[in-house]
Amino acid sequence: MQWFRNFLPDTNVSLSDRGLAYGDGLFETLSVLHGDLVNLAIHQTRLKRGCNRLNFAVEDHLWQKIWSFVGQKAQEYPDSGLKIILTRGSGGRGYLPPDTSNFEFILGVFEKPNYAALHQVGVSLTTSPIDASINRSLAGLKHLNRLENVMAKSCLPASYYEAVLVDANGFIIECIQSNLFWFYKGRLRTAALMTSGVQGSLRSRILADFDGCIDIGRYALEDLMLADEIFVCNAMSQIMPVVRFDDKTFPIGPMTKQLMEKINPI
């Protein structure tokens, strides 16, 4: 993985950086396909929304410089993955942030995994013993505080691709590093993310582009077991069909295949 810090090749971060100390920052993971940044506008919107929520007063000239640099690296590494990290930088006293932030922009370039084989055969899910945290203030954001995902990933059995996280009330939120969708009687369903979870870029794309009926709500694991088809998605794996959830098997059905043909890059 190659790293850039504040637009220069660099692997050094200040020990006083608030992103390191408090997770005071945001990140985005983008897929580059033939030099194009996939779903760029969705990533830009989410990152700006996160900055507004965290009171990151990023000026327009810095945004322009960031996206110009990201676009340049996409051309240099035309079939890669890019990870953007934006922290508040150093300063402040304890949790209290400084009056004026000195933002740290970090960009990582990495080789994308090849998911083509898994797209053909599907993957398996289980239920994670780790709960998704409930926090309305941070819900939807891709912030740097990801300890529950780290804990869930560390206890994921090797035979499973992903695990479903529920909140303390037993409602489905998402998977460890993917959003979760399923079809039930022809309707597309996914969890509402008003109190937990990450509003993934591909989740936003699917909700905008799907031309059928969509139900966004609070669902229990029992509802997922009634599904006709299941898939998970994120920016890297795209739409990934699920063929097993614990002991129950599911087909890679026609509606999932149709969405994959429409959204997954060739």
Side-chain angles (χ1 to χ4, degrees):
M1 193 162 184
Q2 186 171 359
W3 290 100
F4 301 87
R5 172 177 167 265
N6 294 333
F7 312 102
L8 296 172
D10 194 352
T11 57
N12 298 308
V13 176
S14 171
L15 295 179
S16 63
D17 188 278
R18 297 180 62 87
L20 175 64
Y22 308 118
D24 191 1
L26 303 154
F27 73 102
E28 294 285 331
T29 306
L30 296 87
S31 175
V32 183
L33 182 66
H34 309 318
D36 293 326
L37 291 156
V38 179
N39 297 323
L40 174 60
I42 297 174
H43 287 284
Q44 290 174 321
T45 298
R46 182 175 61 183
L47 187 56
K48 280 195 173 184
R49 184 172 65 243
C51 286
N52 290 337
R53 190 88 62 86
L54 297 182
N55 292 320
F56 280 22
V58 181
E59 296 183 357
D60 288 344
H61 72 87
L62 180 55
W63 281 127
Q64 292 169 4
K65 190 173 182 180
I66 286 172
W67 294 118
S68 176
F69 187 78
V70 171
Q72 175 188 334
K73 294 307 167 188
Q75 293 298 310
E76 293 178 15
Y77 304 91
D79 290 287
S80 63
L82 302 181
K83 182 171 184 177
I84 296 171
I85 301 173
L86 187 65
T87 82
R88 203 184 301 264
S90 301
R93 181 177 180 181
Y95 292 134
L96 182 67
D99 293 333
T100 302
S101 298
N102 184 24
F103 298 110
E104 287 282 329
F105 165 68
I106 299 167
L107 181 70
V109 183
F110 60 93
E111 183 178 353
K112 286 194 300 187
N114 188 337
Y115 292 99
L118 290 178
H119 286 151
Q120 296 299 315
V121 300
V123 298
S124 58
L125 297 184
T126 188
T127 306
S128 177
I130 306 299
D131 285 348
S133 300
I134 296 176
N135 188 328
R136 289 183 180 274
S137 298
L138 296 178
L141 304 187
K142 200 157 187 177
H143 54 77
L144 294 179
N145 295 273
R146 304 256 62 99
L147 277 179
E148 64 202 50
N149 306 79
V150 172
M151 294 171 68
K153 188 70 172 182
S154 68
C155 60
L156 179 69
S159 57
Y160 289 97
Y161 174 82
E162 263 280 23
V164 180
L165 276 67
V166 300
D167 64 17
N169 297 313
F171 292 114
I172 293 170
I173 300 300
E174 59 189 0
C175 293
I176 299 171
Q177 55 195 40
S178 313
N179 288 122
L180 175 65
F181 286 86
W182 64 97
F183 286 102
Y184 176 70
K185 295 185 177 180
R187 301 176 69 93
L188 182 62
R189 288 185 166 181
T190 193
L193 301 180
M194 296 178 294
T195 61
S196 299
V198 174
Q199 293 180 7
S201 59
L202 201 61
R203 177 184 186 271
S204 297
R205 167 86 184 277
I206 291 167
L207 293 178
D209 287 1
F210 183 67
D211 55 7
C213 296
I214 302 175
D215 298 321
I216 303 174
R218 304 176 79 185
Y219 298 104
L221 292 171
E222 292 78 10
D223 296 307
L224 185 59
M225 281 295 188
L226 298 175
D228 301 310
E229 306 173 30
I230 303 175
F231 66 88
V232 296
C233 63
N234 65 31
M236 289 294 107
S237 67
Q238 300 294 301
I239 293 176
M240 182 66 71
V242 173
V243 295
R244 181 163 66 96
F245 176 42
D246 285 334
D247 295 328
K248 185 173 181 179
T249 59
F250 296 85
I252 304 177
M255 301 190 78
T256 300
K257 289 179 180 178
Q258 185 178 13
L259 263 181
M260 291 174 69
E261 290 173 1
K262 181 178 182 180
I263 290 180
N264 283 13
I266 298 174

